Amino acid sequence: MKLKTLSLLLAGALASVTVHSAGVSDAMIANDAQSTNDVLSWGLGTQGQRFSALKTINTGNVSKLVPAWSFSFGGEKQRGQESQPLIHNGKMFVTGSYSRIYAIDLKTGAKLWKYEHRLPEGIMPCCDVINRGAALYDNLVIFATLDAQLIALDQNTGDVVWKEKIDEYSAGYSASAAPLIAGGLLLTGVSGGEFGAIGRVEARNPKTGDLVWTRPVVEGHMGYTYDKDGNKKENGVSGTTGATWPGDLWKTGGATTWLGGTYDAKTGLAYFGTGNPAPWNSHVRKGDNLFSCSTVAIDIKTGKIKWHYQGTPNDSWDFDGANEFVTFDMDGKRVGAKADRNGFFYVNDASTGKLLNAFPFVKKITWATGIDLQTGRPKFVADNRPGDPSQAKAGENKGKTVLAAPAFLGAKNQMPMAYSPQTGLFYVPSNEWEMDIWNEPISYKRGAAYLGAGFTIKPVFNDYIGSLRAMDPKTGKMVWEIKNNAPLWGGVLTTAGNLVFWGTPEGYLKAADAKTGKELWKFQTGSGVVAPPVTWNEGGEQYIAVVSGWGGAVPLWGGEVAKKVNFLEQGGSVWVFKLPK
Ligand code: CA
Ligand code: CA
C-alpha cells in the first residue's frame, strides 16, 4: 500500500515536471482543445472547433471587457493580418504580414523577439501578403513563408533552428497557412492555385524539417515516402491518371491545399480542403477534375487518401473547397462539417466521407439548386456556367457572361467558423455577394496567372454583405444571424461562457450570446479585423486576443465591393482583453 502511494506520488511529480517544461509534446497537442491555459494549434485543438471550456468571461460580464495590452507589428509593412496567435509558456507567438513572426511576453505585452523573413523579389501570393499563424512543437515555433519555405525558430531566442524549401516561388508556389501538427508529424499544404501549382500535403519531422511523406491531391500524381536519409520511394498514384482530367491538364491542375488542415485522433485522418482546378475556364478540362474543390482525408500513418468528397465537380466559378473540415459528434457518430465557398454547408461521416447532410448557408445560390444526398453531387444549373470562349461569336474573344452567386470570394472564405458542443451550433462568418463572370482563352505559362476568366464582384443586398450565422448542422436551419455592412473576413471563437467572438473589417471585435445572437460587447481595434480570436486562462483570469489589420483578398479582388470598403485603413497589431480586477 505504502509502495503504491509512493509510486503514485512519483508519477505525479514526473507528470508535473512534464507540465512545467517548456517543450510542447504530442500529448499536449492532442489535449489542446481541453487545456484552457494554452493555445497550441490553429483552431484551438487539431479538430478546429475553436471552442473553449472557459466561462470566467460570460454573457453576464462580457460587457465589462477592457484591453490588457496591445502590441504593434511596427515597420512600414502593413496589409492584411489574418493570423491566429498561439499561447504557451508565458509567451504569445503571432505572425504578421510579409512573413514576420513575433514572440510577446503574455503578462506585459512587451516584445521578446521578432523574426522578419527576407522575401525575394517576384513572390506571387494571389491574395495579399498575409500569414495565418504558426505551429508549436518541442522548443520550436514553425511557420510558412510567402516564398514557400518553412522556418523553425527557437521559442526562447527566435534563432532559426531549421529551414526547408517547400517549392519554387518562381513557379507561383507560396505558403501562408498555419502548419498542423498531428501524430508527431508536421503537416502542410501549398498555395498557388491561380498559377497552376499542384496541390499536395506534406508530412515532415517537426524537429528537423525532414520529409516523411508527400501526397499530391491532383489525380494522376505520384505520392512518396522518405527514409531517414532522404531517399524517396513511390507510395502510389493519387487516384487514376487520366480518369477525371483530359490530356495533360492534370500536370498543372491546381487544387491547392492553401488553408492547411485539421486532424481527428479518433479517425487518424487529416482533412485538407482543396482549391479550384486550374485554369478557371472549365470548358477546357471536361470531367470532375479530382481532387479539386474537395475535402481530402489522408491517413497520416500511410500518407494515402482514405476518402474524398467533392463539393464542386468541374468547378467553373473558382469555388475553392479549401475551407476547414471541423469534426464533432452528432447522433453518437463522429462527423465533420464544412461551410464551402460554393454556398453549401456539408456534413460528412468523418471516417468514410459519406455525405449525411447538405444545405445552403447563404440566401443567394445560382449555380446549383441543391445537393443530391444520395449521390452527393450538386444539381447544376447549366445556364449559370460561364460560356465556352471557343464558341464565342466572330470578333469576340470571350464566352457568355453569367451573373453567378456566390461570388468567387465565397459564401465563406479563409475565415474559420467555430462549433459549440454546448449549443450544438456552428457559427459561420458568411458573405452575400455575386459576380459577373466570363471565360477567355488561356494556356499555361510557368509563373503566370492561369485563369482564363474575367469577373466583377457585386453585393447582393443594399444593407449588408457579411453575416455571422448560427447554423444547426442537423436541421440546416439558421438559428440567428448578425448582419455586417462590410464582408466578414475574420474567424470565430465560441466559449462555454455562452459567447461567440468575431471581428469585422470596420475594426470591431464583438461578442454575442451564443444561443440568441444578442450582441453584448464591442471594441474598436483601430483597423479592420480579418483574423480569428483566441482565449486562454492565466492565473485564474481569462484573456481574449485578436489580431487587427485590414487587408486580404477583398481589397485586391473585390470589384464593386472593394470600392465600397476602400475607406478602411490598414494596420498591424494584436489586442488582448480581460475583465477588470
Ligand atoms: Ca489548449
Ligand atoms: Ca482559387
Side-chain angles (χ1 to χ4, degrees), residues 32 35 38-39:
D32 187 26
S35 59
D38 58 23
V39 177

Side-chain angles (χ1 to χ4, degrees), residues 31-40:
N31 192 46
D32 187 26
Q34 283 75 46
S35 59
T36 51
N37 57 347
D38 58 23
V39 177
L40 303 176

Side-chain angles (χ1 to χ4, degrees), residues 246-551:
D248 281 345
L249 282 173
W250 59 280
K251 291 180 179 169
T252 49
T256 52
T257 43
W258 57 263
L259 192 57
T262 55
Y263 172 75
D264 192 324
K266 266 201 180 165
T267 62
L269 301 174
Y271 306 93
F272 277 73
T274 60
N276 62 284
W280 287 18
N281 174 8
S282 63
H283 297 279
V284 298
R285 45 171 172 75
K286 294 202 172 15
D288 283 355
N289 315 137
L290 293 177
F291 300 93
S292 65
C293 300
S294 299
T295 301
V296 178
I298 299 173
D299 184 333
I300 65 166
K301 289 216 168 76
T302 63
K304 292 197 167 170
I305 296 173
K306 170 99 183 285
W307 60 259
H308 72 274
Y309 174 77
Q310 189 175 42
T312 319
N314 191 229
D315 165 48
S316 203
W317 305 268
D318 188 37
F319 286 155
D320 291 43
N323 313 81
E324 70 285 1
F325 184 80
V326 179
T327 60
F328 66 110
D329 292 316
M330 193 172 93
D331 301 329
K333 202 184 232 176
R334 193 65 129 205
V335 301
K338 175 158 119 178
D340 199 290
R341 197 149 137 173
N342 70 17
F344 290 97
F345 189 103
Y346 299 91
V347 182
N348 298 75
D349 185 303
S351 303
T352 66
K354 185 183 176 338
L355 183 67
L356 303 171
N357 203 1
F359 50 84
F361 65 97
V362 284
K363 286 167 189 167
K364 187 163 183 185
I365 298 178
T366 60
W367 67 277
T369 56
I371 309 298
D372 184 327
L373 289 181
Q374 294 311 114
T375 63
R377 295 180 72 87
K379 301 170 193 165
F380 282 108
V381 176
D383 280 353
N384 206 234
R385 185 175 291 271
D388 185 347
S390 74
Q391 306 295 316
K393 285 180 237 156
E396 278 187 20
N397 200 29
K398 59 180 198 175
K400 185 187 76 168
T401 301
V402 298
L403 179 66
F408 70 86
L409 287 180
K412 179 180 157 305
N413 200 290
Q414 57 86 27
M415 53 287 197
M417 61 185 181
Y419 171 74
S420 168
Q422 222 168 255
T423 62
L425 301 175
F426 276 89
Y427 302 98
V428 186
S430 70
N431 290 313
E432 299 276 0
W433 43 20
E434 58 193 359
M435 62 181 167
D436 282 328
I437 181 167
W438 61 90
N439 287 147
E440 297 162 353
I442 184 78
S443 53
Y444 177 78
K445 202 172 138 241
R446 188 184 187 274
Y450 186 43
L451 301 185
F455 40 79
T456 307
I457 291 188
K458 313 162 182 190
V460 171
F461 304 115
N462 286 328
D463 55 333
Y464 74 101
I465 299 168
S467 174
L468 180 68
R469 290 179 172 157
M471 303 298 302
D472 185 328
K474 275 195 206 183
T475 64
K477 276 206 182 114
M478 182 175 81
V479 177
W480 55 257
E481 73 171 319
I482 297 175
K483 293 173 181 173
N484 198 72
N485 187 47
L488 289 181
W489 208 256
V492 186
L493 166 74
T494 183
T495 72
N498 189 35
L499 290 170
V500 177
F501 291 89
W502 78 106
T504 71
E506 289 90 341
Y508 290 102
L509 179 66
K510 294 186 171 190
D513 184 309
K515 284 199 191 93
T516 66
K518 187 178 178 222
E519 212 174 296
L520 299 171
W521 172 80
K522 66 177 176 181
F523 180 88
Q524 175 56 246
T525 65
S527 180
V529 178
V530 290
V534 295
T535 189
W536 70 95
N537 167 73
E538 173 79 37
E541 288 187 287
Q542 186 183 352
Y543 292 81
I544 308 277
V546 75
V547 167
S548 170
W550 170 239

Side-chain angles (χ1 to χ4, degrees), residues 7-354:
S7 69
L8 277 174
L9 273 172
L10 270 173
L14 282 171
S16 75
V17 167
T18 315
V19 166
H20 290 114
S21 97
V24 174
S25 65
D26 291 307
M28 287 163 70
I29 292 168
N31 192 46
D32 187 26
Q34 283 75 46
S35 59
T36 51
N37 57 347
D38 58 23
V39 177
L40 303 176
S41 44
W42 194 81
L44 287 84
T46 62
Q47 286 175 249
Q49 291 190 352
R50 297 183 181 274
F51 171 80
S52 168
L54 290 172
K55 47 190 176 189
T56 312
I57 300 169
N58 53 55
T59 48
N61 59 21
V62 68
S63 65
K64 299 191 178 77
L65 269 190
V66 289
W69 52 263
S70 173
F71 173 86
S72 169
F73 295 156
E76 293 166 5
K77 298 165 176 169
Q78 298 194 334
R79 313 284 303 241
Q81 311 291 354
E82 296 182 355
S83 176
Q84 182 217 289
L86 297 173
I87 307 296
H88 169 62
N89 197 30
K91 299 181 184 72
M92 173 186 285
F93 301 94
V94 61
T95 60
S97 55
Y98 294 94
S99 305
R100 294 173 292 171
I101 183 166
Y102 305 81
I104 306 168
D105 186 309
L106 269 190
K107 282 208 179 74
T108 62
K111 183 175 78 178
L112 300 170
W113 55 257
K114 95 172 148 176
Y115 169 83
E116 289 196 62
H117 187 63
R118 185 190 281 265
L119 288 168
E121 293 287 320
I123 54 167
M124 282 174 260
C126 73
C127 306
D128 205 2
V129 287
I130 58 94
N131 183 278
R132 300 201 172 90
L136 300 175
Y137 196 76
D138 196 31
N139 65 329
L140 301 175
V141 53
I142 306 162
F143 82 117
T145 63
L146 292 164
D147 59 344
Q149 294 196 47
L150 284 164
I151 315 286
L153 307 132
D154 184 298
Q155 288 172 12
N156 289 316
T157 62
D159 294 338
V160 174
V161 176
W162 61 257
K163 201 186 266 199
E164 290 290 332
K165 186 166 94 178
I166 300 171
D167 216 311
E168 301 289 343
Y169 70 83
S170 58
Y173 284 87
S174 60
S176 51
L180 165 69
I181 295 190
L185 295 171
L186 176 76
L187 301 171
T188 53
V190 295
S191 306
E194 271 57 57
F195 302 93
I198 296 299
R200 65 176 188 259
V201 179
E202 290 185 343
R204 292 171 189 269
N205 177 340
K207 285 196 170 186
T208 61
D210 293 340
L211 278 170
V212 177
W213 53 255
T214 61
R215 174 51 54 195
V217 294
V218 176
E219 185 166 53
H221 289 265
M222 180 64 75
Y224 294 93
T225 55
Y226 296 77
D227 67 21
K228 60 180 190 320
D229 300 317
N231 304 308
K232 73 178 181 180
K233 211 173 108 188
E234 290 187 352
N235 189 31
V237 169
S238 299
T240 306
T241 311
T244 61
W245 291 87
D248 281 345
L249 282 173
W250 59 280
K251 291 180 179 169
T252 49
T256 52
T257 43
W258 57 263
L259 192 57
T262 55
Y263 172 75
D264 192 324
K266 266 201 180 165
T267 62
L269 301 174
Y271 306 93
F272 277 73
T274 60
N276 62 284
W280 287 18
N281 174 8
S282 63
H283 297 279
V284 298
R285 45 171 172 75
K286 294 202 172 15
D288 283 355
N289 315 137
L290 293 177
F291 300 93
S292 65
C293 300
S294 299
T295 301
V296 178
I298 299 173
D299 184 333
I300 65 166
K301 289 216 168 76
T302 63
K304 292 197 167 170
I305 296 173
K306 170 99 183 285
W307 60 259
H308 72 274
Y309 174 77
Q310 189 175 42
T312 319
N314 191 229
D315 165 48
S316 203
W317 305 268
D318 188 37
F319 286 155
D320 291 43
N323 313 81
E324 70 285 1
F325 184 80
V326 179
T327 60
F328 66 110
D329 292 316
M330 193 172 93
D331 301 329
K333 202 184 232 176
R334 193 65 129 205
V335 301
K338 175 158 119 178
D340 199 290
R341 197 149 137 173
N342 70 17
F344 290 97
F345 189 103
Y346 299 91
V347 182
N348 298 75
D349 185 303
S351 303
T352 66
K354 185 183 176 338

